[in-house]
Amino acid sequence: MNQKLRLGVNIDHVATIRNARGGIHPDPVRAAKIVASVGGDGITAHLREDRRHIRDADIERIMDATDLPLNLEMAATDEMLDIALRHKPHAACIVPEKREERTTEGGLDAAGQHNNLMPFISKLRDANIRVSLFIEAEPRQIEAAIHLQAPVVEFHTGRYAHFGFDGDAKGVESELKRISDAAALAAKNGIEAHAGHGLTFENVQPIAAITQLAELNIGHYLIGEAIFLGLEESVRKMRSLMDAAR
C-alpha cells in the first residue's frame, strides 16, 4: 500500500478577498477550521513583505484555530526570520519573492543563494522549525538542499500546469518526468519531497501518482472552486482525487 499523500491547503486568497474590501470577512481562520474538518492535513499561509493577503495577526490565530500544522511560506529576510522565530510554526517554506509579481513565479535558487541561506536556515532549524525550500525540480537545487541540511523540498509545478493549460502534451510528459526524477533523487538523499503550484482537479492526479512525493500544497485553485462548490466540497474533491491516484 502506498503512503497517504498529505494535502496542505493554502488559505492566502481567503485573506486576499478580505483585504480587497477591508474589515474581517471572509476570515482565513474560518477557512482553516473547515480544512481541518474535511480531511486537510495542513495549512499553508504566505506572509508577504507587502502583506497583500495574510497579515501578521493572522498567524497566531490560524495556529490556535486547529491542530493542523502551519506551513509558513516566507522570503529569506531578517523581518520574516524574526516573525518565524517569534511564532514558531511547524514549518517554514522559503520561497522567492518579488514585490511586483502576482504570485510566486518559480523556484528559489538555493544553489545560487547558498551562502545567504545557510545562516537563515540554521536559525530556523535551531528553533525546531522544519525548513522547506521551494525549488525547481533540478538536481543542482536538490544538491544545494542537501548541503543546506534542509529536510524538505517543495517542487514548483507551475511549468507542468502551464503546459497542460496550453495543451502541450509533450511538455506535460517532460515535466512529469523531471518532477518524478527529482522526487526520487530527493528521497534517495533522505529529503522529503513535496510539490505545488497551479494544481487543479484536472491535472493533480499524475503528480499525486508520484510515489516519492509526501505532500501537495494547493491553494488558489481550491479557494477559487470554493466560490462554486463551497470550501468543504472543494477540499473533499481534491482529497478524493489524490487518494485515487495512490
Side-chain angles (χ1 to χ4, degrees):
M1 173 185 272
N2 291 322
Q3 182 181 12
K4 178 187 176 184
L5 180 62
R6 299 193 301 270
L7 171 59
V9 178
N10 187 318
I11 59 173
D12 288 349
H13 294 296
V14 176
T16 301
I17 297 170
R18 175 195 64 188
N19 297 351
R21 191 164 183 175
I24 61 173
H25 180 78
D27 188 354
V29 170
R30 183 179 177 188
K33 291 178 178 178
I34 290 171
V35 171
S37 72
V38 296
D41 300 293
I43 301 297
T44 293
H46 184 173
L47 184 68
R48 283 183 171 268
E49 178 193 20
D50 61 8
R51 308 309 198 265
R52 69 177 67 167
H53 33 60
I54 295 296
R55 299 170 179 161
D56 300 58
D58 293 324
I59 299 173
E60 198 69 40
R61 295 174 61 240
I62 292 168
M63 291 176 65
D64 288 343
T66 81
D67 292 329
L68 294 183
L70 174 64
N71 174 37
L72 181 64
E73 292 184 340
M74 55 193 284
T77 66
D78 290 340
E79 179 194 22
M80 293 301 154
L81 178 61
D82 288 345
I83 291 169
L85 295 176
R86 183 163 66 252
H87 291 285
K88 292 185 170 59
H90 168 76
C93 183
I94 304 174
V95 302
E97 185 175 313
K98 293 184 289 187
R99 182 181 287 271
E100 67 273 15
E101 68 187 0
R102 291 185 179 180
T103 185
T104 304
E105 295 174 345
L108 179 76
D109 183 10
Q113 298 180 39
H114 178 279
N115 292 343
N116 291 331
L117 290 171
M118 180 64 83
F120 191 89
I121 291 171
S122 295
K123 290 176 182 177
L124 291 171
R125 193 170 56 242
D126 289 346
N128 293 317
I129 300 171
R130 196 179 195 204
V131 178
S132 173
L133 302 179
F134 185 76
I135 60 174
E136 294 296 331
E138 299 171 352
R140 177 171 174 263
Q141 300 300 339
I142 296 168
E143 182 178 344
I146 295 167
H147 288 297
L148 289 165
Q149 300 180 50
V152 180
V153 293
E154 180 173 341
F155 297 125
H156 175 242
T157 53
R159 281 169 55 86
Y160 162 78
H162 286 299
F163 279 133
F165 299 153
D166 293 340
D168 184 343
K170 288 185 178 179
V172 168
E173 183 179 353
S174 175
E175 280 301 297
L176 272 176
K177 185 178 187 306
R178 190 169 77 106
I179 295 165
S180 180
D181 288 349
L185 180 60
K188 180 180 177 181
N189 285 279
I191 295 177
E192 183 171 295
H194 300 176
H197 200 86
L199 297 178
T200 70
F201 294 150
E202 289 73 29
N203 68 18
V204 71
Q205 288 196 303
I207 294 291
I210 299 172
T211 55
Q212 292 90 351
L213 291 176
E215 180 174 306
L216 301 183
N217 283 297
I218 306 173
H220 180 268
Y221 181 79
L222 289 177
I223 302 307
E225 284 299 297
I227 296 171
F228 307 104
L229 302 178
L231 185 55
E232 297 94 335
E233 182 58 26
S234 182
V235 174
R236 284 195 188 102
K237 184 171 180 178
M238 186 63 77
R239 171 79 274 161
S240 177
L241 289 166
M242 289 166 54
D243 290 344
R246 284 292 171 101

